[in-house]
Amino acid sequence: MPGNQSVPLTNVIGIDHAVVVVRDLDSAAANWKRLGFTVSPRGTHSAKMGSGNTTIMLDPDYIELLVVEVETEHNAPTRAFLAKRGEGIERVAFTALDSAAGAEEIRARGFEPIGPIDFERPVTMPDGGLSAAKFRVFQWPLEEAPGGLRIFACQHKTRDTVWLPELMHHGNGAKRLRQVLVVSPEPAQDAAHLARMIDRDVRTEPDGAVAVPSGSDRADFVFLAKDQLGRRYPEVPLSGLPERGGAGLVIATSDLGAAAQAAGGSAIRSGGAVCVAPAAANGTLLIFVGA
């Protein structure tokens, strides 16, 4: 069975960003701006990727809103996700210190990596000049998707063109990701699957949800049944979420009041948090908690 080693991966150090797939990028960017996020200008990836994005930069992680612009072999899984699920969290990236070495680490654990693949997108810098954001990524095999969530690793070759200071201040006080919520009819089984893939331990939470730390001080994955998620946030309608798949993001904010004010009519107080229902955030449940 793959993933039987017990030494944590040394080139994969925790959650880097969550990918929210959308049908209309301009509309989605405007929507997240209305929720109080600062959203980067639209970027276009390489021809092989066939996708475009905007980012919501936090520290040390971020959220990516991604759209398919041109159908390519590479983005076939994303198109299949949209056709089956609709908008929402399709995959989550880990930070790779060295993607080539990281790919060999998972190969040694019995997982055949896809990649590494190099790509880039143009970036307009604060002084008006044009630069590029460059990445090297690798994926775990497509069939290795715990809870229906694909995972990959991303090496940032040009961090200074991605984490731009002016993009990191948000009206809702968002600071960083705390948890990626994954709904599953079998949370313990899917959590154990992810733990094998990244050589991490699991932790059972008081309500029976199962957490998998992603590494370092980065956000945790939390696997739970959809009805468990409903009991955590009983005031929040969960229509639009799947029974199995990426469901939501728990985001630390410096000011819960600012998060509620920024979200306006979309803000719902529940479970001591400020929440935004999936229907109001492109298929993604947003949970703002105190930093």
Side-chain angles (χ1 to χ4, degrees):
M1 173 184 286
N4 282 337
Q5 296 193 22
S6 59
V7 179
L9 301 170
T10 58
N11 283 284
V12 177
I13 62 168
I15 288 176
D16 187 83
H17 64 278
V19 180
V20 177
V21 172
V22 301
R23 289 194 172 93
D24 183 319
L25 188 58
D26 292 337
S27 174
N31 187 38
W32 288 62
K33 285 179 184 177
R34 283 193 296 270
L35 296 174
F37 292 103
T38 299
V39 180
S40 75
R42 183 179 183 128
T44 300
H45 295 138
S46 63
K48 177 182 178 66
M49 309 295 280
S51 53
N53 77 339
T54 62
T55 59
I56 295 165
M57 301 308 303
L58 307 171
D59 184 12
D61 40 42
Y62 64 100
I63 302 164
E64 177 180 11
L65 306 180
L66 183 131
V67 71
V68 172
E69 295 185 332
V70 179
E71 293 187 2
T72 69
E73 180 181 356
H74 183 85
N75 62 43
T78 302
R79 289 184 279 116
F81 173 90
L82 266 175
K84 180 179 179 181
R85 152 86 189 268
E87 296 182 316
I89 302 171
E90 185 218 7
R91 55 195 135 126
V92 170
F94 291 81
T95 298
L97 300 178
D98 182 320
S99 277
E104 290 309 310
E105 281 191 282
I106 72 165
R107 192 192 309 277
R109 286 157 171 77
F111 299 105
E112 188 61 30
I114 301 171
I117 298 169
D118 291 285
F119 70 99
E120 62 184 70
R121 59 178 170 83
V123 175
T124 301
M125 301 299 288
D127 62 3
L130 193 64
S131 188
K134 299 181 180 182
F135 313 90
R136 175 171 290 169
V137 301
F138 72 90
Q139 299 179 51
W140 278 256
L142 295 180
E143 64 273 13
E144 303 285 351
L149 186 73
R150 285 204 291 148
I151 65 171
F152 68 109
C154 179
Q155 178 184 349
H156 291 272
K157 299 164 75 173
T158 54
R159 294 184 68 86
D160 58 331
T161 64
V162 178
W163 274 270
L164 297 173
E166 63 270 24
L167 297 179
M168 297 174 67
H169 299 283
H170 304 279
N172 56 24
K175 292 298 181 184
R176 63 179 300 170
L177 299 177
R178 286 295 183 199
Q179 296 177 343
V180 174
L181 304 175
V182 187
V183 291
S184 167
E186 298 176 314
Q189 180 176 313
D190 281 324
H193 182 185
L194 175 63
R196 288 195 303 272
M197 293 171 69
I198 62 174
D199 273 330
R200 298 288 173 184
D201 296 323
V202 301
R203 181 183 70 247
T204 302
E205 302 201 336
D207 64 353
V210 186
V212 181
S214 71
S216 186
D217 64 343
R218 304 295 180 89
D220 294 343
F221 292 88
V222 176
F223 292 81
L224 70 177
K226 192 173 179 180
D227 61 349
Q228 285 179 297
L229 183 59
R231 288 194 294 272
R232 283 190 174 192
Y233 306 103
E235 291 81 12
V236 184
L238 300 182
S239 57
L241 290 185
E243 295 300 320
R244 185 171 187 261
L249 302 171
V250 178
I251 301 168
T253 173
S254 59
D255 189 336
L256 279 172
Q261 183 175 2
S266 298
I268 302 169
R269 293 272 187 173
S270 185
V274 172
C275 308
V276 177
N282 299 92
T284 307
L285 172 64
L286 301 179
I287 309 292
F288 292 93
V289 298

